Amino acid sequence: MTDTPLATLLFPFERGLIDPPGEGERVLFLGAPGGLLLPSDFSGSLTAIQGYRPDYLALSQAGVTVEPEPVGEGYDMALVLLGRHRRENEQRLAEALNRTRAGALIIAACAKKDGGGSVRKRMASLVELEDHASKHHGVVFWLRRPERLEPALMAELSAGDSEADGFTTAAGGFSDDGIDPGSALLVECLPDNLSGAIADFAAGWGYLSVAAAERAPEVKSIDLYEAHHASLEAARRNMAARAPQMPARFFWQDLLGEPVNERYDVILMNPPFHRSRAAEPDMGHAMIAAAAQALKPRGRLFLVANRQLPYEESLQKHFAAQGELRRDTVFKVLWARK
């Protein structure tokens, strides 16, 4: 989440192409990064929107007013950081249009590697842009919020499908286009004797939790932990729709930075191993350590990972027993016991 085109977004202000917000003006910042530093001449009142828990915590600790989901209306300006997920980008642009006053300036930036040029051209086909620029390996464009938001425009920006494989998914979250093949393999390998209190670490939109609830009658409860707020809300809806009989709790939590206070008989996980494009196996190692801490004595862990990731060494370090259940050409399913 730190790989953002913030410098590109701020370029028009630095060059005097756009005036910074003045005293008393209200600014909405959609996708604000955790390491946010705004120019000293930004005098407006800022509300940041950030659903990724580590960035949310960083903004909060820096004294920024931050919410996980868009709030308020009638803003005088909107700043929008865009990424590689088209549906999430268009949701953010729709929110910027909906929550600003008529005539408010909306400034959006996207890295070129994430298709910044294409995003600008698409927006230009939907609404008149005031101007654009390229800088810092990204594209920034800006427009005035129209007096009237045409229904066709808003329908176009909101047209992204939020359903896949019969589940509600979350734009910008993990596997937002359907069931992840690794998670599907893990479900195939789960034993039928799962029981007691279960946790789903990095739960995404809840596929593993739904599967566990459907196939293991001795499961008493499921707690879902997820750092991406929209994914957790999708998981809440999926559990209510697909496993309404299962007691479930939902924790918007950074498992790499916030301790787990509960203890479990079983933990399931498809651990993330990258924050941006670069692989970071240490994330998986840290999640395995967190799972070991959160399991009861003789508690069991089941996880799926890409074949090349060396998670066996962490399992050996933190667990009394561990092994492999299955592998295919891409993934491996591992188990461990405290």
Side-chain angles (χ1 to χ4, degrees), residues 63-144:
V64 177
T65 299
V66 57
E67 299 287 345
E69 295 181 343
V71 295
E73 57 186 19
Y75 288 93
D76 301 295
M77 179 181 288
L79 307 174
V80 189
L81 279 182
L82 305 173
R84 76 186 82 165
H85 300 282
R86 172 173 169 169
R87 184 154 60 97
E88 183 179 45
N89 289 343
E90 297 193 350
Q91 285 181 0
R92 287 180 178 177
L93 290 166
E95 289 286 359
L97 288 164
N98 271 320
R99 295 183 181 278
T100 49
R101 60 170 175 79
L105 199 59
I106 297 171
I107 308 99
C110 185
K112 289 181 179 178
K113 64 185 178 184
D114 290 331
S118 297
V119 174
R120 178 192 66 79
K121 290 176 183 177
R122 173 162 168 75
M123 280 303 294
S125 73
L126 298 174
V127 63
E128 183 180 356
L129 302 187
E130 193 165 284
D131 209 345
H132 71 277
S134 296
K135 189 67 175 178
H136 303 300
H137 307 290
V139 175
V140 57
F141 56 90
W142 54 100
L143 62 142
R144 297 282 173 181

Side-chain angles (χ1 to χ4, degrees), residues 104-310:
L105 199 59
I106 297 171
I107 308 99
C110 185
K112 289 181 179 178
K113 64 185 178 184
D114 290 331
S118 297
V119 174
R120 178 192 66 79
K121 290 176 183 177
R122 173 162 168 75
M123 280 303 294
S125 73
L126 298 174
V127 63
E128 183 180 356
L129 302 187
E130 193 165 284
D131 209 345
H132 71 277
S134 296
K135 189 67 175 178
H136 303 300
H137 307 290
V139 175
V140 57
F141 56 90
W142 54 100
L143 62 142
R144 297 282 173 181
R145 196 269 203 189
E147 185 74 31
R148 179 177 182 272
L149 295 179
E150 296 293 337
L153 165 64
M154 303 312 293
E156 183 73 18
L157 291 178
S158 303
D161 185 12
S162 62
E163 299 287 334
D165 295 329
F167 291 88
T168 299
T169 65
F174 174 68
S175 193
D176 63 355
D177 58 350
I179 298 169
D180 168 65
S183 295
L185 183 65
L186 175 55
V187 167
E188 289 179 17
C189 296
L190 289 179
D192 293 331
N193 66 347
L194 297 182
S195 62
I198 286 185
D200 185 350
F201 277 15
W205 42 262
Y207 171 67
L208 293 179
S209 292
V210 168
E214 289 177 340
R215 70 180 297 166
E218 297 304 314
V219 173
K220 302 303 182 187
S221 64
I222 301 178
D223 287 352
L224 294 82
Y225 292 80
E226 173 55 46
H228 185 247
H229 191 271
S231 292
L232 190 66
E233 292 306 300
R236 192 189 304 274
R237 293 191 288 275
N238 287 324
M239 287 295 288
R242 304 287 291 263
Q245 79 291 346
M246 179 60 64
R249 295 185 296 178
F250 303 85
F251 295 86
W252 183 41
Q253 188 162 329
D254 173 21
L255 288 165
L256 304 184
E258 297 178 278
V260 174
N261 296 321
E262 305 294 328
R263 294 296 176 262
Y264 299 100
D265 299 292
V266 177
I267 292 177
L268 312 176
M269 69 179 181
N270 183 348
F273 62 93
H274 58 82
R275 291 180 179 87
S276 54
R277 283 180 168 80
E280 299 177 64
D282 284 351
M283 293 180 69
H285 291 301
M287 285 195 65
I288 289 171
Q293 288 288 327
L295 281 167
K296 299 175 182 177
R298 299 192 63 79
R300 294 180 291 170
L301 170 68
F302 297 92
L303 71 91
V304 64
N306 285 30
R307 284 175 51 142
Q308 76 274 14
L309 294 172

Side-chain angles (χ1 to χ4, degrees), residues 37-55:
L37 287 175
L38 291 174
S40 58
D41 56 355
F42 268 56
S43 301
S45 171
L46 180 73
T47 299
I49 307 301
Q50 179 51 258
Y52 180 55
R53 183 69 173 177
D55 281 352

